Amino acid sequence: MYKDKKVVFSGVQPSGVLTIGNYLGAIRSFADFSETYHCYYCVVDEHAITVRQVPADLRRRTYETLALYIACGLDPEKNTLFVQSHVSAHAELGWILDCYTMFGELSRMTQFKDKSAKNADNINAGLFTYPTLMAADILLYQSELVPVGVDQKQHLELTRDIALRFNQIYGDTFVVPDAYIPKETAKIMSLADPEKKMSKSDENENATVRILDPKDVIIRKFKRAVTDSGSEVRYAEDKPGVSNLISIYSAFTGKTVGEVEREFAGKGYGDFKLAVGEACADALAPVQAEFARLTADKAYLEDVMRKGSEAAAHDAARTMSKVRRKFGFTDLRR
Ligand code: TYM
């Protein structure tokens, strides 16, 4: 409990143009917490550099990710919106938590295994210790709830283990957080390979629908989406392509899976794919318009960043001071 409200924290890496996976799995739900929780939503640029980035692109995407947060309904007056590298406590606590996290635990992280397979020429130490920095993000603010897609579940479990371990050694220091994973959209799959997660770093452009794709591109991508043999629009384990499209359509229209199946009974995949594309494009249109307006106003975005990082740094300092005291660092800041 903090400032009389429970705390929500989440973050998105500015490592690519965000996809509807990021939107439906995470960002779309962020605004739901703004009234009842104290919310911190962070652009996690320090996480992004575990993979090589082009500096100018990273900088631009950092602004864009912040703009997307706001365009997706996050009011900077009601949420603390900030950039991770502007608050040095993240890296500081990340190092400390490294010393309370076991090599074996980090070795078991599936995201580390996947990313090292994809970046075989750059398996750096940061890629390995990525989850402890993520734990620091969350624990710094005494967060209770962390809205994420299912791919982050293992990192959240590790965060809980680290918090419990620390609390056991030094007494209550951190709130032990829970993941909040939306049921129907926890894992939006690639349109090119429905056995794989839709990922913003996928090199195959047809695999992902980006939040900022224009309507004609969105429709074309859905038309090309890999579906299964047969022609029936039905949600089933042996129909991963169609099931993924049903989840997306249902998320954008608010219709249940049963309603979607009935709507397209007797119709082919062609009609269905077009409808999914249209529903997606229509739902994203207001976000895109707001994004265009916001990115034209860099001064405003910088103002949001500045205020957000000041508020976040102030709150993070409270936890840092507690942590430093607990395990015996000298502290001249009192
Ligand atoms: P990132 O930047 O990869 O993704 C941002 C959010 O989008 C979710 N997501 C998906 N959800 C459903 N279907 C998909 N295909 C899909 N792809 C991505 C992710 O689960 C995530 O919630 N490590 C995090 C960033 C992070 C963070 C944190 C999150 C750093 N520190 C602290 C929460 C709390 C990441 O790489 O997300």
Side-chain angles (χ1 to χ4, degrees):
M1 185 84 79
Y2 194 53
K3 290 182 175 168
D4 304 329
K5 280 183 176 175
K6 291 183 177 178
V7 173
V8 163
F9 184 98
S10 198
V12 175
Q13 294 190 61
S15 54
V17 184
L18 302 190
T19 71
I20 56 167
N22 301 122
Y23 180 71
L24 296 175
I27 304 172
R28 188 173 73 153
S29 70
F30 287 177
D32 297 344
F33 301 99
S34 302
E35 297 296 336
T36 33
Y37 290 83
H38 187 86
C39 298
Y40 298 86
Y41 295 118
C42 184
V43 180
V44 290
D45 54 349
E46 289 172 335
H47 279 93
I49 60 164
T50 52
V51 173
R52 255 330 147 252
Q53 302 290 336
V54 176
D57 290 349
L58 179 62
R59 201 169 294 120
R60 179 177 42 79
R61 287 192 189 125
T62 301
Y63 283 99
E64 289 178 356
T65 307
L66 180 73
L68 262 182
Y69 275 171
I70 304 171
C72 290
L74 294 176
D75 178 349
E77 300 296 323
K78 291 190 184 155
N79 303 272
T80 303
L81 307 181
F82 71 107
V83 176
Q84 187 183 30
S85 66
H86 295 170
V87 180
S88 58
H90 289 251
E92 194 181 347
L93 184 61
W95 166 252
I96 292 167
L97 298 183
D98 277 348
C99 303
Y100 294 84
T101 308
M102 299 304 127
F103 183 87
E105 288 177 306
L106 292 173
S107 310
R108 283 193 288 278
M109 294 294 116
T110 52
Q111 188 164 309
F112 170 68
K113 292 185 208 165
D114 290 351
K115 285 204 176 172
S116 14
K118 276 192 207 147
N119 300 280
D121 56 342
N122 184 24
I123 307 178
N124 60 72
L127 198 59
F128 188 64
T129 59
Y130 179 111
T132 53
L133 180 59
M134 181 161 160
D137 300 339
I138 297 166
L139 301 182
L140 260 182
Y141 301 96
Q142 308 293 353
S143 318
E144 307 234 351
L145 211 56
V146 182
V148 280
V150 79
D151 61 323
Q152 298 301 317
K153 189 166 174 243
Q154 200 186 24
H155 290 162
L156 252 297
E157 281 160 6
L158 180 65
T159 302
R160 290 173 59 86
D161 290 345
I162 295 171
L164 287 167
R165 179 173 307 145
F166 205 97
N167 288 350
Q168 201 177 23
I169 304 173
Y170 299 107
D172 266 356
T173 310
F174 297 123
V175 167
V176 181
D178 282 309
Y180 171 88
I181 300 176
K183 235 185 23 233
E184 284 80 15
T185 52
K187 194 172 186 186
I188 300 297
M189 309 310 277
S190 153
L191 296 191
D193 176 0
E195 304 287 344
K196 245 177 57 185
K197 181 189 87 160
M198 183 181 288
S199 162
K200 56 171 127 60
S201 55
D202 202 315
E203 276 162 17
N204 178 356
E205 262 309 307
N206 287 325
T208 58
V209 174
R210 313 268 174 192
I211 301 182
L212 300 173
D213 278 344
K215 184 165 186 170
D216 58 324
V217 174
I218 293 179
I219 289 181
R220 193 181 67 229
K221 285 181 176 178
F222 277 110
K223 272 190 185 160
R224 289 197 187 147
V226 170
T227 33
D228 321 278
S229 55
S231 60
E232 211 185 337
V233 177
R234 184 168 50 83
Y235 194 97
E237 221 170 277
D238 61 343
K239 290 166 96 56
V242 169
S243 300
N244 187 39
L245 296 183
I246 293 178
S247 300
I248 295 170
Y249 185 68
S250 142
F252 279 122
T253 57
K255 295 175 184 168
T256 64
V257 169
E259 284 166 346
V260 180
E261 288 176 340
R262 281 192 291 284
E263 184 179 345
F264 292 95
K267 298 186 184 149
Y269 287 162
D271 287 353
F272 175 53
K273 286 177 174 181
L274 181 65
V276 184
E278 279 181 342
C280 172
D282 291 349
L284 294 179
V287 174
Q288 295 179 349
E290 188 59 3
F291 175 84
R293 195 183 67 77
L294 288 161
T295 43
D297 192 351
K298 202 169 165 191
Y300 170 72
L301 293 176
E302 284 178 349
D303 193 47
V304 171
M305 279 182 189
R306 202 167 289 118
K307 288 194 183 126
S309 67
E310 274 165 20
H314 173 269
D315 298 343
R318 289 173 38 150
T319 300
M320 281 315 293
S321 150
K322 193 166 159 192
V323 168
R324 296 166 67 86
R325 206 172 52 240
K326 291 263 184 181
F327 64 75
F329 277 177
T330 48
D331 196 345
L332 300 177
R333 285 179 283 195
R334 270 176 287 157

